[in-house]
Amino acid sequence: MRLWVICLQALLFIGLLIAIGQSGLFDTIMGRNVRMGDPLFEDYQRGSIPFIDVDGRDVFVAQSHPDNPLILSGFPAYASKVFRLPTDSRPLSGTYNIAFATDAVPDAEGALRISINGVKRADVVLNQGRFKRRAKIELTPAELASGQLEVKLALVGRGPMAECTPNEALAAVVTILPESGLHLKLDKAPSTTRDRLALWGDLIPVKWDEDDKVADLATLLAAARLSEKGYGIYFGESGYAAQALTDIDKGAAIRPGRTQALRYPVSLVSAIENGGARRFDRETTWRYRYDVGQLPNGELPSALDLRLLLGPIAETRTALFVTLNDHLLFTRTLTDEDQRFSHSIALPTADHLDRNQLEITLTAHEREEMRCGARRLIAAEMLPETILRGGGERLVPAVVQLRGLLAANRPVALKAGALTAPQGQAAAQLLGQMRPSALAFGTQRPGTTMEVLTGDIAGALARVRPAGRQWLVHFPDDRREGVMVEPFARGASAARAAVALLVTVHRPVPVPPPATPATTPLRATAPAP
């Protein structure tokens, strides 16, 4: 009897295994385990280089961004990218190809919305868990003839709506992968510099042989001149060297949107992702970025004139937060009387960096602490009257003063030892900050010497023999702070940098030397989010 019971249990167990196998549950569980492994966040610059192809009539324009990758977090979230289309070679047809990685919590319901030149073109539904998705959007004749494409990405949807779910859940994150971009068919192969620059997405590949015993100074300077004009550069195994880069530089205009000067008043809606109405459930944020170098005569903005139009916010807890470079400037709990919000917010000098990010965040929750299945959409729009007003302190950064000193003490001798590709790229970006297009370079009786220091910089500084007036130039750990210029000293902060420039002026022409610091001392800054 006992044997029969054991046999019956075995048969039932085998039958259960067969049923589960046919249902695909094992595959689902195993697939989930694979998908839920550690995510890989690629180098978005290096990753996009293999997808930049401008040979022949079929070309690919990578969605690279020399400053930031595109990441959308939470519902709703927004990002944008402007593609410049070639003008000498005319597009005949094309598609916008997007590849993205999603990470969504169970029961999240959302989509990645894609709009081109203000027209909604696609909604791609998100899967729960970690997935990679791809989509293609065929471009219309009107889009192909527009000269540029403004691609706006929006993460829309809602988080879990289970009974009494807390408000604070972050339900989904979407990362745009480097292979995203435009695939175009042209009437002829691109041959002009402006077409090639447009198709590169303003990220220029520079060929750098790491086996060289001595750095290729000609390539370094040519790349620095392109960096000065606002182009992204990426040093690697493939790309262009000295003469080709020089030829590109001759036909390259200053990159629009990167180094162009701003004029007051500056409208925050000029950033395309800030335009239009938004509908959100818990939180939404408008962002605006500006560099001190873009401001007229180095004049900082004195205030933000914030103008918002809000939908009905009765029976909600709606709050407004304004930050500049992670420093809190303004908070307000809003009421029904604030449906048309208008307020001027001071922007302190001490909170400014070389690269600045202004954030305006609205949060809205039900008055009850727990949602209990409720959902309430809030509508909000940033109005065109939201502006940065001038009238702030005028800053003359130390790097600007050093540029004047270099221009008055030419020619400039450039020295460098062996450099790896990352070191070469950092050195070219530092040299680009020195405005090399305004300098004459030569080794005969130089007025100034610039030497690239790498590796054990503290040891290199200990061996330097002071001569003339000397400064050290380097990037700080927080790249939002821009380039740093400090007088030469053995224990200078440059000793902790990976790459630095030692600038020695041998026979200084009377020009005011760089001041340290050049501005009001800045407050400590939180790590980059």
Side-chain angles (χ1 to χ4, degrees):
M1 185 68 179
R2 185 177 298 172
L3 181 61
W4 279 103
V5 172
I6 294 174
C7 290
L8 182 59
Q9 289 175 337
L11 288 173
L12 289 173
F13 183 71
I14 293 171
L16 180 62
L17 290 177
I18 293 172
I20 292 175
Q22 291 177 343
S23 70
L25 182 58
F26 279 150
D27 293 337
T28 301
I29 294 173
M30 293 305 293
R32 184 182 300 167
N33 286 339
V34 171
R35 291 192 300 270
M36 294 304 288
D38 292 338
L40 172 63
F41 299 96
E42 301 175 81
D43 176 345
Y44 58 95
Q45 291 183 345
R46 178 193 56 77
S48 65
I49 292 296
F51 301 97
I52 298 177
D53 183 5
V54 297
D55 293 327
R57 295 172 58 198
D58 290 312
V59 301
F60 191 88
V61 187
Q63 189 163 340
S64 58
H65 195 301
D67 295 323
N68 296 294
L70 294 179
I71 301 174
L72 297 91
S73 304
F75 297 121
Y78 303 89
S80 64
K81 169 69 178 180
V82 176
F83 292 94
R84 291 190 293 136
L85 298 179
T87 54
D88 300 309
S89 297
R90 291 171 295 181
L92 301 176
S93 63
T95 58
Y96 171 64
N97 302 352
I98 185 168
F100 58 95
T102 66
D103 193 347
V105 302
D107 298 325
E109 297 180 4
L112 181 64
R113 177 166 297 166
I114 304 168
S115 301
I116 300 178
N117 287 358
V119 178
K120 184 173 75 172
R121 296 299 312 278
D123 279 344
V124 183
V125 177
L126 306 183
N127 297 99
Q128 296 176 17
R130 290 183 183 142
F131 282 88
K132 288 188 177 181
R133 300 290 304 278
R134 295 178 182 274
K136 289 186 179 181
I137 300 174
E138 189 171 358
L139 301 177
T140 66
E143 290 164 348
L144 292 167
S146 64
Q148 71 176 24
L149 300 179
E150 295 181 347
V151 177
K152 186 174 181 179
L153 305 175
L155 183 57
V156 296
R158 63 177 177 83
M161 299 300 292
E163 191 74 8
C164 295
T165 301
N167 268 322
E168 289 76 16
L170 179 65
V173 177
V174 169
T175 302
I176 308 303
L177 300 177
E179 56 263 37
S180 303
L182 297 182
H183 183 201
L184 300 173
K185 184 174 182 179
L186 308 176
D187 65 341
K188 61 182 179 180
S191 57
T192 63
T193 296
R194 65 177 175 178
D195 276 2
R196 287 183 173 272
L197 288 173
L199 294 171
W200 277 325
D202 295 332
L203 181 62
I204 301 172
V206 177
K207 182 175 177 56
W208 193 261
D209 189 353
E210 296 186 11
D211 295 331
D212 284 349
K213 299 296 183 182
V214 180
D216 184 347
L217 297 183
T219 296
L220 201 63
L221 276 176
R225 293 188 180 100
L226 287 166
S227 178
E228 174 188 357
K229 290 184 175 181
Y231 293 93
I233 52 176
Y234 193 89
F235 281 47
E237 297 178 356
S238 60
Y240 297 85
Q243 188 57 52
L245 292 175
T246 300
D247 294 339
I248 293 170
D249 177 54
K250 291 177 181 178
I254 293 178
R255 181 176 172 230
R258 182 83 181 276
T259 56
Q260 64 182 4
L262 298 174
R263 293 184 178 180
Y264 290 120
V266 179
S267 173
L268 271 63
V269 180
S270 61
I272 61 174
E273 64 268 26
N274 289 337
R278 297 184 177 186
R279 296 167 184 85
F280 67 99
D281 180 20
R282 296 167 184 170
E283 178 179 301
T284 190
T285 299
W286 294 268
R287 294 179 176 86
Y288 187 79
R289 299 176 178 88
Y290 58 95
D291 294 356
V292 169
Q294 295 177 273
L295 302 176
N297 299 317
E299 179 185 322
L300 293 178
S302 62
L304 164 68
D305 288 346
L306 183 57
R307 307 288 185 266
L308 297 175
L309 186 61
L310 306 178
I313 58 176
E315 299 181 2
T316 66
R317 293 181 292 114
T318 302
L320 175 68
F321 307 88
V322 179
T323 63
L324 176 62
N325 299 324
D326 301 325
H327 294 306
L328 191 61
L329 302 182
F330 179 83
T331 64
R332 167 81 60 89
T333 299
L334 303 182
T335 67
D336 289 346
E337 298 177 355
D338 293 314
Q339 290 188 15
R340 193 173 186 92
F341 182 82
S342 178
H343 195 80
S344 184
I345 302 163
L347 301 178
T349 297
D351 290 339
H352 274 87
L353 302 171
D354 281 9
R355 298 181 179 89
N356 300 280
Q357 178 164 287
L358 188 64
E359 294 188 345
I360 298 100
T361 299
L362 272 178
T363 64
H365 305 289
E366 293 291 330
R367 289 195 182 278
E368 298 297 329
E369 287 298 324
M370 308 302 288
R371 298 179 59 83
C372 296
R375 183 188 185 211
R376 185 178 184 89
L377 282 176
I378 303 296
E381 181 177 359
M382 176 178 284
L383 300 177
E385 294 80 14
T386 297
I387 60 170
L388 296 179
R389 281 194 286 112
E393 182 179 337
R394 184 173 179 270
L395 301 184
V396 182
V399 65
V400 174
Q401 299 177 57
L402 183 58
R403 290 170 192 157
L405 200 59
L406 293 176
N409 290 273
R410 297 178 291 179
V412 177
L414 180 62
K415 297 181 179 181
L419 301 174
T420 65
Q423 289 173 336
Q425 181 170 321
Q429 291 169 332
L430 283 172
L431 287 168
Q433 294 286 328
M434 298 296 102
R435 297 291 188 263
S437 62
L439 303 177
F441 288 85
T443 57
Q444 297 296 322
R445 302 186 61 190
T448 304
T449 298
M450 285 196 290
E451 183 179 358
V452 180
L453 305 179
T454 60
D456 181 12
I457 294 182
L461 296 181
R463 294 188 295 271
V464 171
R465 294 183 177 180
R469 291 195 286 181
Q470 296 176 298
W471 289 270
L472 292 164
V473 184
H474 64 99
F475 289 120
D477 293 335
D478 187 345
R479 290 295 293 269
R480 295 175 296 175
E481 296 183 19
V483 68
M484 291 190 65
V485 175
E486 56 185 341
F488 170 78
R490 309 289 185 192
S493 61
R496 300 185 295 275
V499 180
L501 296 180
L502 173 62
V503 178
T504 303
V505 178
H506 302 294
R507 50 178 190 279
V509 172
V511 173
T516 305
T519 70
T520 302
L522 302 182
R523 284 162 46 172
T525 307

